[in-house]
Amino acid sequence: MQIDATSSAEYVHLNLHTGQAVEVAAQSEVATEWHIAFRRFNVMLNGGTSGPGDVAGALVAAQDDFYDDNNTPITSRFTNATADSERPVLMAEIAEPGADDWIRDSVTTVLSGTSATDGGWYLYNPADGTMLPNPDRGWLLRSGEGNSYARMRMTELTFDTRSGRGVEHFRFEFDLQPAGVGQFTGQAAFEGLIPPGGGEVCFDFDADLIVACSGTDWDLKLGFLGRSFYLRSNGGVSGEGSGAAFGPFDWAQLATYTSATMDPGGTPLAGLYVPDSSSGVFSEHPWYAYNLAGQHRLWPNYRVYLVDTDRGDDAAPRYALQITGYYSDAGVSGHPRIRYRPVPATQ
């Protein structure tokens, strides 16, 4: 089947049981009847951070022969492959993925660290379960309105993860670059607590106020839910605004900046800000290669993904899915072609 996913703003949501598109009246977070969604070449599943379902995916046919030992696409392999030649890959017997092979969609943000103990803006001590601020790391942040900026870091944190007292205190400090201004001219501070039951707190650095986590007013969100402790900017998959972030930086370096839109050497920075995005099996294991032989096109690699429509239900239908194209018969991009088949859980 072929999907018209030409919109750059809206996803097309598909129910794999019926093979029909599903109208999602509001954001995908409120709809459970869809399993997979497409927007241009982007693909997401209804689970994790992309929706309220428990859909997950696993790569079951990697098509390694499409790539050389350096993971560089082999042009001739891509250009000679066809939907017919790669159909046996979809129809082949599938080995059951391991528990760690299943991937739910998650948020990717530059407001993070490199490991479980280095969260970027905090440091975790597994010996006693405490989290401490990391004032040696900083970021540049664009506001939810998209017209002002700030330099930020965490300077205070009291959070004993084993005490049951929640986040007892936190503080982020900001140097502000208001709308229409080319350098830092003021300061703000975001501080507060999150109770033991968890929650989210949002801050408007222009107003120097804690605000509701809705609309475009908020610029930075701090959340503590379950085992997750996170920051979000108000843009991309995390909010309705135009917010984004750039970093991380060593604070000693970032402290030399006088502007969030121009580095000390005079290089413009506005184009380097990155909004929060969604990551999943289709982004960790892309279904295509681009710009082969100098042609600005997408070529499918005919990988096969196993989609479990409800990881919490052993009886839920599962499907082997393959993306076989991206262009309409008239050559218009944004028309992914997919095919899929049911796969018993015991195969």
Side-chain angles (χ1 to χ4, degrees):
M1 64 182 299
Q2 188 163 49
I3 300 156
D4 183 350
T6 51
S7 172
S8 296
E10 302 295 333
Y11 275 89
V12 176
H13 302 80
L14 186 69
N15 183 305
L16 292 175
H17 302 335
T18 65
Q20 299 296 315
V22 174
E23 291 292 333
V24 177
Q27 295 184 4
S28 60
E29 287 82 356
V30 302
T32 59
E33 65 270 23
W34 64 277
H35 303 115
I36 190 169
F38 298 84
R39 186 186 67 193
R40 305 292 299 175
F41 52 82
N42 300 290
V43 187
M44 68 178 183
L45 298 176
N46 190 354
T49 58
S50 293
D54 195 16
V55 183
L59 179 68
V60 292
Q63 297 288 77
D64 290 334
D65 61 315
F66 277 62
Y67 300 85
D68 65 19
D69 292 341
N70 296 316
N71 203 35
T72 300
I74 300 172
T75 298
S76 61
R77 184 68 179 91
F78 275 86
T79 57
N80 290 329
T82 66
D84 287 340
S85 71
E86 304 308 312
R87 179 178 291 275
V89 182
L90 175 67
M91 303 308 296
E93 183 176 352
I94 293 174
E96 180 65 24
D100 293 338
D101 296 327
W102 292 100
I103 300 173
R104 292 177 176 85
D105 286 8
S106 60
V107 172
T108 298
T109 177
V110 300
L111 297 168
S112 60
T114 58
S115 68
T117 56
D118 180 356
W121 41 277
Y122 68 84
L123 300 172
Y124 175 65
N125 184 350
D128 60 13
T130 58
M131 288 188 176
L132 299 173
N134 185 7
D136 295 329
R137 200 80 49 82
W139 285 262
L140 297 174
L141 186 67
R142 187 170 68 213
S143 68
E145 293 88 351
N147 59 2
S148 56
Y149 297 83
R151 174 175 58 193
M152 56 158 278
R153 62 173 172 168
M154 174 176 259
T155 57
E156 299 175 14
L157 177 62
T158 304
F159 186 16
D160 182 344
T161 63
R162 300 173 187 170
S163 70
R165 295 191 295 266
V167 183
E168 297 179 82
H169 176 71
F170 67 84
R171 179 182 173 92
F172 292 87
E173 296 182 353
F174 298 79
D175 297 298
L176 307 180
Q177 181 175 319
V181 177
Q183 60 187 7
F184 300 124
T185 62
Q187 288 78 41
F190 174 27
E191 57 185 327
L193 58 83
I194 300 179
E200 296 180 329
V201 189
C202 289
F203 184 66
D204 179 346
F205 61 65
D206 291 311
D208 196 9
L209 290 173
I210 291 176
V211 296
C213 295
S214 60
T216 61
D217 287 343
W218 69 272
D219 305 315
L220 184 69
K221 176 190 292 181
L222 176 67
F224 163 47
L225 295 172
R227 299 174 64 88
S228 298
F229 191 38
Y230 54 87
L231 288 178
R232 300 286 185 261
S233 61
N234 190 354
V237 299
S238 294
E240 302 171 42
S242 300
F246 178 35
F249 296 85
D250 289 335
W251 185 255
Q253 175 193 5
L254 191 56
T256 67
Y257 283 47
T258 59
S259 168
T261 50
M262 190 79 69
D263 75 10
T267 301
L269 301 176
L272 300 179
Y273 285 74
V274 180
D276 295 350
S277 61
S278 181
S279 175
V281 66
F282 292 94
S283 55
E284 292 192 23
H285 305 288
W287 60 267
Y288 64 88
Y290 176 69
N291 197 27
L292 301 179
Q295 299 182 48
H296 299 294
R297 294 175 55 87
L298 271 64
W299 275 267
N301 53 26
Y302 300 95
R303 283 174 167 161
V304 177
Y305 306 86
L306 188 59
V307 178
D308 188 333
T309 58
D310 188 344
R311 286 293 292 156
D313 181 358
D314 291 341
R318 306 193 307 175
Y319 301 95
L321 183 143
Q322 190 179 54
I323 301 175
T324 63
Y326 182 64
Y327 299 90
S328 70
D329 291 339
V332 179
S333 64
H335 290 80
R337 292 182 183 272
I338 69 169
R339 58 191 179 193
Y340 59 96
R341 66 178 180 88
V343 176
T346 57
Q347 178 173 315

